[in-house]
Amino acid sequence: MSNTPRRDREESSRSALAEVHERLAADRADTLARMAALCRDFDGIVAANALVAVDDEHDPEGGTTAFGRAHVTSLLTQAREHLDDLDHALERIEDGEYGRCESCGTTIPPERLAVRPAATTCVTCAQPGPRHDRR
């Protein structure tokens, strides 16, 4: 009896994981570049305001300056969280846990992983509300 179908499935699985790893690594590089650009933007806002005595409360441009700082800070926070998610997904690949729901242990549908490659939960567990452990 031949193990060819099993071997083919294993090779296909390894190939699919390699593609996911490559996609996550590319997303990680893009996220790092975006974070660097956001840091430059933030530094530019701070440097521009360092030359002027800015009173956000009374200066007509102060609200815009404060908004700009807050906006860039928020985008930077989101990028850092995304980077953490990507790093966690890469670790899960290395540990052989990628594609399994961290909440219930079932397989995460490939369609969900295609849209959200860093997903750690299945569709059911990702929904708001009470969770049911299906283990």
Side-chain angles (χ1 to χ4, degrees):
M1 197 158 164
S2 174
N3 285 333
T4 301
R6 181 178 176 191
R7 208 172 317 132
D8 289 345
R9 279 193 308 272
E10 288 173 358
E11 286 178 22
S12 176
S13 178
R14 278 193 296 271
S15 174
L17 278 177
E19 286 179 27
V20 170
H21 191 281
E22 196 173 296
R23 183 175 169 197
L24 289 168
D27 193 354
R28 187 178 193 284
D30 290 344
T31 301
L32 287 171
R34 186 170 63 249
M35 288 173 66
L38 289 167
C39 285
R40 286 190 301 274
D41 290 348
F42 185 85
D43 291 345
I45 292 169
V46 170
N49 287 325
L51 302 174
V52 185
V54 177
D55 178 0
D56 284 359
E57 191 173 330
H58 298 101
D59 184 358
E61 292 298 315
T64 304
T65 301
F67 175 79
R69 279 192 318 256
H71 182 69
V72 171
T73 299
S74 176
L75 292 174
L76 193 52
T77 298
Q78 289 174 0
R80 283 185 181 128
E81 289 171 357
H82 184 62
L83 184 65
D84 289 345
D85 291 345
L86 294 171
D87 286 342
H88 185 61
L90 289 166
E91 287 172 10
R92 287 174 50 87
I93 288 174
E94 296 300 320
D95 295 342
E97 295 295 320
Y98 184 80
R100 288 235 162 264
C101 178
E102 288 184 340
S103 294
C104 69
T106 62
T107 301
I108 299 173
E111 298 83 9
R112 177 166 169 75
L113 292 172
V115 175
R116 294 186 49 119
T120 59
T121 57
C122 65
V123 176
T124 302
C125 291
Q127 294 175 355
R131 305 269 190 303
H132 299 286
D133 192 1
R134 294 184 286 175
R135 283 190 201 183

